C-alpha cells in the first residue's frame, strides 16, 4: 500500500459560524435567531481581529458554543424568574 493513498489530500472548508450559531439559537427557542446570530458573529469576528495572534485560540467554535449556551441558560433563568413573579402576583 502506498503512502500516497493513505495520506491523500483532502479539501477543507471554513465552517459557516453564523449558520451554526443561528441553528443553535433556533433550537433553544430564540425567535430572532438570524438577527442574533449575525450580531453575535460580528462581535466575535471583531474580537478575533483585535486580539493578538497568540490569543486567537479563544475565538473558535467551542468558545462561541459556550457563549451561546450561557445566553440560553441566562434566558431560561430570566423566564423562570418572570413566571415565578407572575404566579406570586396572581395569588395575591
Amino acid at each position: 500500500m502506498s503512502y500516497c493513498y493513505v495520506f491523500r489530500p483532502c479539501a477543507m472548508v471554513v465552517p459557516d459560524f453564523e449558520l451554526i450559531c443561528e441553528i443553535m439559537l433556533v433550537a433553544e427557542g430564540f425567535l430572532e435567531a438570524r438577527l442574533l446570530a449575525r450580531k453575535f458573529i460580528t462581535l466575535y469576528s471583531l474580537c478575533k481581529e483585535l486580539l493578538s495572534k497568540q490569543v486567537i485560540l479563544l475565538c473558535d467554535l467551542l468558545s462561541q458554543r459556550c457563549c451561546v449556551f450561557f445566553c440560553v441558560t441566562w434566558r431560561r433563568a430570566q423566564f423562570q424568574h418572570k413566571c415565578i413573579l407572575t404566579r406570586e402576583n396572581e395569588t395575591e
Side-chain angles (χ1 to χ4, degrees), residues 14-33:
V14 177
D16 187 1
F17 292 122
E18 188 173 335
L19 182 62
I20 294 170
C21 184
E22 180 183 346
I23 291 170
M24 287 171 39
L25 290 170
V26 166
E28 294 296 339
F30 283 85
L31 299 176
E32 299 284 329

Side-chain angles (χ1 to χ4, degrees), residues 45 47-59:
S45 62
C47 289
K48 190 175 183 179
E49 290 175 8
L50 293 174
L51 292 174
S52 70
K53 297 296 180 190
Q54 296 161 349
V55 194
I56 206 70
L57 295 175
L58 298 175
C59 295

Side-chain angles (χ1 to χ4, degrees), residues 16-45 64-65 67-76:
D16 187 1
F17 292 122
E18 188 173 335
L19 182 62
I20 294 170
C21 184
E22 180 183 346
I23 291 170
M24 287 171 39
L25 290 170
V26 166
E28 294 296 339
F30 283 85
L31 299 176
E32 299 284 329
R34 182 167 289 162
L35 179 65
L36 289 173
R38 188 175 301 130
K39 288 180 179 182
F40 185 77
I41 297 303
T42 303
L43 174 69
Y44 256 78
S45 62
Q64 291 176 5
R65 184 191 164 284
C67 190
V68 169
F69 180 74
F70 173 78
C71 294
V72 167
T73 305
W74 182 78
R75 179 179 176 263
R76 284 183 182 158

